[in-house]
Amino acid sequence: MNAPYWLEELDGLFDSEMIKRKETYVKKMSQDYYWYSPVLRAKLAHYSGDCVLAPKSEEELINIITFAAKRKIPIVTRGGGTGNYGQIIPLRGGIVLDTRELNKIVEIESGQGTFEAGVKLGTIEKVLKETDQELRFFPSTFMKSTIAGFIAGGTGGIGSIAYGTLWDEGNILALTVLTMEETPRKINVKTKEELAKYIHSYGISGIILEATIALAKKVNWVDFLIQFDELEQALLFSDVVAHDTTIQKRLVSVCEAPLSTAFHPIKTFTDKRKASVLLQIAPEHQNDVEKKAACYGGDCSAAFSRFIKQNKLRMSDFSWNHVTLWWLKLHPNDTYLQGRFDPKHYVTQVNQLKERYQDEVLIHFEWIRAGGKVVPSSQPVIRFTTVERLQEIMVSFQEFGIKVSNPHTFLLEEGGKDEWMDQICLAKKENDPNHLLNPGKTHRTAHSPLAGETHV
Ligand code: FAD
């Protein structure tokens, strides 16, 4: 394919350091972890942007937006590129906007901090230690992922059992957003309704320049790996810990056997016949948790927490979607689903799934707080065979009352986190009148080049 005419114009207008045109690099920067899904893998692998531009300042970013808006060039904004749904894959070419050099820590106060879009969450966590604070919650990819990438592409993570998700009031306090117009407007948003126009929006409604988030007081978390003979015991124990408001915690994660045996760095602590519960608990509640685990037949290894600290390991590496990552390293053809089980009937739902699919569906729960309620969110591993079978499993989830968030589509409205879709589309209409921001990621505002093809 011919290179677009505007590529040559870049040299006269922008600092050469900012422009990256090498085909292999542009292709690499045009991809995320979409390959978790065999469906997206088959459909999205060949897409790429035309160049990468990496601004270092707000002024440079505004110049890029003006340049692109004048010539009607698509922009896909990119953070760490760790999204799972092809969120940063440019479906219509154009500019891949690498934000990682917009990395100023604007201000840190007691209880809140303001950061430029491209600051990595891992950097924030490190800097916060000096102020005796920590992130309220973060994705398991926090070392690579950026604050704006998390806000525009993620949901929750380690800490969500205490603080909820991105949508829960009081977590994101303010955003500064640039519009996709020849003269970009700078919008400051603070209310729940306004913020929702940009949360999990795949960057289609505006480019986040800065984010102000609430922070938590630092805790010296104690790490637990507790093993159970039966999945049901592990689930019931995790439920008790998740719901006990007297126990301060940051992680309650459950894996059916043999998922945890894929966690290579901690393999001496895992057993392929046992279900496991991973916990992060405040030190003063350690004894309480050990007693509760014993009541459910759980086996706590006293050496585990020490091992994690001595080897500088992170519990985040063995929870959330890192569980799938470890499993895919051993079984590259497998995949996963995302489902919200019913908090009152989840044991029945798990049993129904196990009865119908046995080890074709391997259960992985993350307990979180969402909208004030403690609920089991889940990312079960699927031993993939065909797209038709995957579809059949998703239909069974729905039949058993498990709400599916489909990770096998790049369309925002089909991913199951679409509660605020109307507001996102409204902001897109106002901020991106020519549909240039991440085009093709919704049917609601413009036609997708892959309409009807890519979702299961
Ligand atoms: P990117 O992938 O670069 O971008 C994500 C989306 O945000 C894209 O649509 C992009 O266009 C948009 N975007 C980026 N920057 C901006 C900006 N400045 N303005 C507007 N839009 C922008 N997610 C979770 O929520 N919780 C988890 O625990 C979790 N665990 C994961 C584990 C693994 C192993 C993997 C592969 C993924 C996981 N994810 C998880 C998904 C993903 O890692 C996170 O959502 C992450 O925070 C995305 O950040 P990023 O900087 O990599 O974003």
Side-chain angles (χ1 to χ4, degrees), residues 265-266 268-269 303-313:
I266 54 169
T268 48
F269 292 93
F304 180 73
S305 196
R306 219 172 31 246
F307 180 84
I308 291 281
K309 288 201 169 58
Q310 275 167 358
N311 291 283
K312 295 194 169 37
L313 297 171

Side-chain angles (χ1 to χ4, degrees), residues 32-33 36 76-84 87-88 99 117 121 138-141 144-158 201-203 206-209 320-322 325 379 438:
D32 55 16
Y33 284 69
Y36 263 46
V76 178
T77 314
R78 183 196 196 277
T82 67
N84 289 111
Q87 287 126 302
I88 57 151
T99 57
L121 292 168
F138 53 88
S140 59
T141 46
K144 267 193 184 172
S145 71
T146 60
I147 185 154
F150 181 42
I151 292 171
T155 50
I158 295 95
S201 64
Y202 295 3
I207 298 175
I208 300 170
L209 178 65
W320 287 77
N321 229 347
H322 266 75
L325 187 61
Q379 293 163 335
N438 209 354

